[in-house]
Amino acid sequence: MDHRSLIFASVFPVPSLSHSTPTPIATPDLGYTAPGQSFGSPYGGNTGGQHRAVNRNIAWSTATRFLTLSRSSLGASFDALRYQRTAEIEEALQYLLVGEGKSEDGHEEDLVDWYTNEARVHFATQVRSRLIEPWKKEIELRHSWEVLRETQELLLQVQKSYLDPFNQHILPFIQRANRASTIRPTSSADQEEDGEANNVSRRFRRDVHAIFAHSLPPQRYSKTLSYILYDSGCRIFSVYLRHDGVKPDSTPENVRAFRQRMIALLRGLDQVGLGGDIAQKAFAHAMDKLIDSFIVSHYTKVDWFTKKSIVPHLRMFMRDGFCAFVELVLECLRCYPSSVQPAELASWQEMALGRLGRVRVENLFDFVINWDKSLGAFLDIKEYLKVAGAKQHLTSSFSQQISRRLLHAGATTTYILNVYISIIRAFHELEPKGVLLERVARPIRRYLKEREDTARIIITSLLTDINDEAGSKFLSSGELSFEIATEMQKPFANFNQDADEELNWNDLNWQPLPTDASPDYKKSKVEDVVWFLLTLWEREDFINELKNILGDHLLRCEDPEYEKEIRLLELIKVRLGDDKLQACEVMLRDVLDSKRINAAIRASSAPSRVTDPRLPQTPENAAPRTPRPRRGTANTPSSVPRLRSSAQPTLNAQILSSFFWPLLREDHFLVPAQIQTLQNDYEARFERIKGMRKLRWMNALGDGSVTLELEDRTEEFDHLTPWQVSTIYAFQPQPGEEWASKTRSRGKGKEKESSIARNVSQLEEMLEMDEQLVRQALAFWVGQSVLRESASDTFEVIERATPANIDTEAAAAAQEIAEVQAAQQAGAVRSQADLLAEKKDVYMSFIFGMLTNQGNLPVQRILMMMRMMVQGGFPFGDEEVKGLLGEMEGESKVICVGGEVWGIRR
């Protein structure tokens, strides 16, 4: 033995060092027989007890030689290796076990203890090396069953070789002695008689089992047994997604035969003492993994068709399947109690529900995207929320999913809004009180408020008719949200909520706020998606944005009744109140009154109307023509034919109250003379109707339709901007260009005279139009193959559409450029950026003067002072103020002195 083992043996005796060997045969010293005393037997006692030690030594030698375990053949029958038990051996065993030689004071070694030590020495010298050979290295999973079975069979064989001598030659003497001491045997007395014998037998088995259990590496054995139990559960319950990665066999397995195999192995392990606490811990670990694997294998799928929860089926499995399996294993391991108690069943069902809920929460974002097909998954999560700590886990996990998969620059605002609407609907089903929705939606609402196009997309989508087109405009990458447009089609009741709902004494269904609600929690009685969208901003900010977007929409609308616009205003009134929507109502009334005014003016000019049926005109008995898109206060021609001086254009106008409308674009340019004449006539008639009220024409907001008569074709164009109409009209012959209206004979050998050409500078001068608008209009007509660029910045009319005259690639490129430019100039309402750029110098001068007079100031103080002191107000935020300060810093006028504090550069 090494030094460490010797130190240990000095405190705790090692059996191989302390075990006593059988006493050698020697002539006993019996002394002399007293006069008159008979010659006694070697085991006969005397009153003085002088021969007890000698007698015990002789009996001890006889008994221990007989009970010594063989060192040669393991597992052979005990009686086959020894001579038969003689009377002398029986007398020696009886003397040591129940006679005078029995150890009573604890100073003499007991024969049972000696035999226990004999078994321990025999196991250490003959069995242990063979037993631990396969356990010296990590057990491979595919060999676990084989190794554990071989170990169990070996220990069972060794245990039999130890128990047979004990049960045949030691235990019967103790049992007979107990029965002999009973005077009147009864059924209860029989149990007491066998009590001591059972205790001795139980103690010997316990010691043998302890030898077996401590000979195996505990962690490695526990891991192997845990895998055996886990593998058994997976095969019995047909689990195909396992922690160990083992794939099930392609052929169906005989579950009944495998179940019997598991039972035989577990019972064999329990017989050799390898059950107990170690087996129960391994079993608990295996069942923990089995529940996870079973849920992942059978319950992660969502019922997309019936949309039902699978929690009832999971509870049924835990009651009828899992508990039955647990009781079977506990019975094989002889654990007490072997039946599952109701409290344990409820605990396991809650644990399984928690596992299922965590699996569902990990994929919650995908379920939101697929709402409402994923209703079954949300019903599962709804049950999961009853588990302690589930709400906090759901909130933190889903917030991380949102940050990772939604709130980033790669997601369009339309997509974020669609997902947000799905979250509102799904979480209303999940928790009607709205506490969870308020928690998870907070970062989404904050992110949407930071995007510039959020309000425009929301309001534009609310005003969009989903029945107009079949789909392309509602793409997730587009500017319209189908989900928001769908909400407008739903009937709505009175969703108005009091300013302080806690003081609404008339609410008979009042309930207190949830205990886990945050201070900013706002209770919504119903699932009102529009209400959540409209409350993204403060009321004042939203109404200002609404006024700008609604104004641009009203100037484009083609619906003569403005039904969707009226519905939207009513919807907003119901949710936000009608005290701030006066300007929007005036705007809507303006466009409705414009129809009546147009009809009255046309009626007053009816006698002088041209009645040529070939000319475009309004029928006598027809309703007023609905304004086309982009038709504002500007009057634009509905027909500008070329080379037909007798044609008369028509004019409709929209009369806007400038005080209530947002700032509109006022691009100045000349319209065709015929349109100017119609404008003057319209204005004169309007003054007579409205009591000398004046009109100010805003030509840039109009909308026109023209018919172009070329040499070989006639083309019609609708929805044109006024500058496009004015630009193409400028290519008609002017005074001195009458030659261009004459064409030569088209016979063979004849040629056509050159068409009129204009360059950009000439058009700017003729139309008094900005160069940007001129180039945009020219690009549009080049893209329509009406004009072509004959030289740099010089364009001429394509009178004959021949392949030689039309450059297809140039026309396509020009068309693309025109579309891009038109998109940039599409808005009739001036944007905030345009307003800021227009008054930037005024604002910068004010900031410079304020910092000069008052010293260093923070951004918030500068913003507050500008909103109070700037004439006309300052309708911008701190970001715009920071931008102005940044430009001033670039010009070396101001400097940032720390944080958000700014001062004059000295």
Side-chain angles (χ1 to χ4, degrees), residues 338-484:
S338 60
S339 60
V340 177
Q341 303 299 319
E344 294 176 330
L345 173 60
S347 177
W348 289 345
Q349 288 177 339
E350 182 178 354
M351 179 177 64
L353 180 59
R355 306 286 176 84
L356 175 63
R358 283 191 289 273
V359 172
R360 289 284 189 258
V361 170
E362 291 177 358
N363 303 293
L364 182 55
F365 187 83
D366 295 321
F367 297 147
V368 168
I369 297 298
N370 293 281
W371 174 264
D372 62 343
K373 295 180 180 178
S374 58
L375 178 60
F378 280 96
L379 295 178
D380 296 339
I381 298 176
K382 190 174 184 178
E383 294 292 330
Y384 166 65
L385 292 179
K386 300 176 183 178
V387 179
K391 292 184 177 181
Q392 183 178 2
H393 173 254
L394 183 144
T395 303
S396 60
S397 176
F398 189 60
S399 298
Q400 294 176 1
Q401 296 177 42
I402 290 174
S403 300
R404 184 177 66 254
R405 301 181 59 180
L406 185 65
L407 304 182
H408 54 79
T412 63
T413 304
T414 304
Y415 177 73
I416 297 176
L417 286 171
N418 290 337
V419 174
Y420 179 44
I421 293 174
S422 298
I423 291 174
I424 294 173
R425 296 169 178 168
F427 274 75
H428 179 76
E429 176 66 32
L430 194 62
E431 191 208 31
K433 293 182 179 180
V435 177
L436 286 179
L437 176 61
E438 188 268 337
R439 291 180 181 177
V440 301
R442 194 177 304 159
I444 304 178
R445 295 172 65 87
R446 182 168 57 248
Y447 188 81
L448 285 173
K449 289 171 63 176
E450 296 174 355
R451 291 213 170 186
E452 298 179 354
D453 57 346
T454 302
R456 174 170 53 82
I457 293 176
I458 291 176
I459 299 175
T460 306
S461 299
L462 289 173
L463 293 170
T464 302
D465 188 0
I466 61 175
N467 299 321
D468 286 346
E469 300 177 14
S472 60
K473 64 180 180 180
F474 289 116
L475 296 176
S476 60
S477 59
E479 293 293 326
L480 297 176
S481 171
F482 179 79
E483 299 296 335
I484 299 177

Side-chain angles (χ1 to χ4, degrees), residues 426-677:
F427 274 75
H428 179 76
E429 176 66 32
L430 194 62
E431 191 208 31
K433 293 182 179 180
V435 177
L436 286 179
L437 176 61
E438 188 268 337
R439 291 180 181 177
V440 301
R442 194 177 304 159
I444 304 178
R445 295 172 65 87
R446 182 168 57 248
Y447 188 81
L448 285 173
K449 289 171 63 176
E450 296 174 355
R451 291 213 170 186
E452 298 179 354
D453 57 346
T454 302
R456 174 170 53 82
I457 293 176
I458 291 176
I459 299 175
T460 306
S461 299
L462 289 173
L463 293 170
T464 302
D465 188 0
I466 61 175
N467 299 321
D468 286 346
E469 300 177 14
S472 60
K473 64 180 180 180
F474 289 116
L475 296 176
S476 60
S477 59
E479 293 293 326
L480 297 176
S481 171
F482 179 79
E483 299 296 335
I484 299 177
T486 304
E487 288 297 322
M488 278 296 294
Q489 305 299 318
K490 298 180 180 179
F492 63 94
N494 186 8
F495 293 145
N496 191 23
Q497 299 180 5
D498 294 340
D500 189 355
E501 200 166 300
E502 294 300 317
L503 301 179
N504 184 10
W505 310 110
N506 297 323
D507 185 5
L508 300 181
N509 296 321
W510 178 88
Q511 291 182 354
L513 295 179
T515 57
D516 53 348
S518 66
D520 299 333
Y521 170 75
K522 296 181 180 180
K523 182 169 59 175
S524 178
K525 294 182 179 180
V526 294
E527 178 198 354
D528 185 11
V529 173
V530 177
W531 184 84
F532 283 102
L533 296 176
L534 298 184
T535 55
L536 279 173
W537 304 269
E538 296 296 333
R539 182 176 300 186
E540 296 290 341
D541 297 338
F542 176 78
I543 291 178
N544 291 334
E545 191 69 25
L546 171 65
K547 186 170 66 173
N548 293 334
I549 297 175
L550 182 62
D552 183 74
H553 178 80
L554 289 175
L555 296 178
R556 298 166 176 262
C557 183
E558 294 182 336
D559 182 9
E561 302 299 332
Y562 296 94
E563 293 181 359
K564 293 187 67 66
E565 292 73 16
I566 296 174
R567 177 182 172 85
L568 176 63
L569 287 182
E570 293 300 324
L571 182 146
I572 297 176
K573 285 181 184 179
V574 167
R575 288 160 173 80
L576 302 182
D578 56 354
D579 55 332
K580 300 295 184 180
L581 297 177
Q582 180 183 2
C584 296
E585 291 179 340
V586 172
M587 292 162 57
L588 183 59
R589 188 174 65 247
D590 284 343
V591 296
L592 292 173
D593 291 345
S594 296
K595 296 194 305 178
R596 179 178 54 81
I597 295 174
N598 286 328
I601 291 178
R602 279 195 296 271
S604 64
S605 61
S608 61
R609 181 178 301 164
V610 179
T611 58
D612 188 346
R614 296 176 299 174
L615 301 180
Q617 54 188 302
T618 302
E620 292 293 339
N621 299 325
R625 183 180 176 214
T626 302
R628 294 180 180 271
R630 302 192 56 82
R631 178 166 296 151
T633 55
N635 51 318
T636 56
S638 61
S639 177
V640 186
R642 296 186 57 193
L643 305 177
R644 292 177 61 176
S645 59
S646 61
Q648 293 294 328
T650 59
L651 176 69
N652 283 326
Q654 286 183 335
I655 314 302
L656 311 180
S657 303
S658 59
F659 181 78
F660 295 95
W661 283 72
L663 295 177
L664 304 175
R665 60 182 307 167
E666 299 184 19
D667 302 278
H668 175 73
F669 55 87
L670 298 179
V671 297
Q674 295 171 307
I675 303 300
Q676 291 181 0
T677 303

Side-chain angles (χ1 to χ4, degrees), residues 118-149:
E118 172 67 12
R120 184 179 293 112
V121 173
H122 181 273
F123 182 85
T125 57
Q126 302 296 321
V127 181
R128 188 174 185 276
S129 59
R130 176 182 170 185
L131 177 67
I132 66 173
E133 182 63 29
W135 296 91
K136 290 182 178 180
K137 58 182 179 179
E138 192 73 21
I139 306 298
E140 297 183 10
L141 298 181
R142 56 192 179 93
H143 296 152
S144 298
W145 281 91
E146 181 180 355
V147 171
L148 207 56
R149 180 183 57 78

Side-chain angles (χ1 to χ4, degrees), residues 706-720:
V706 299
T707 301
L708 301 181
E709 293 186 356
L710 303 172
E711 182 178 346
D712 62 343
R713 65 194 187 280
T714 299
E715 297 187 7
E716 296 183 358
F717 297 92
D718 295 325
H719 308 307
L720 300 179

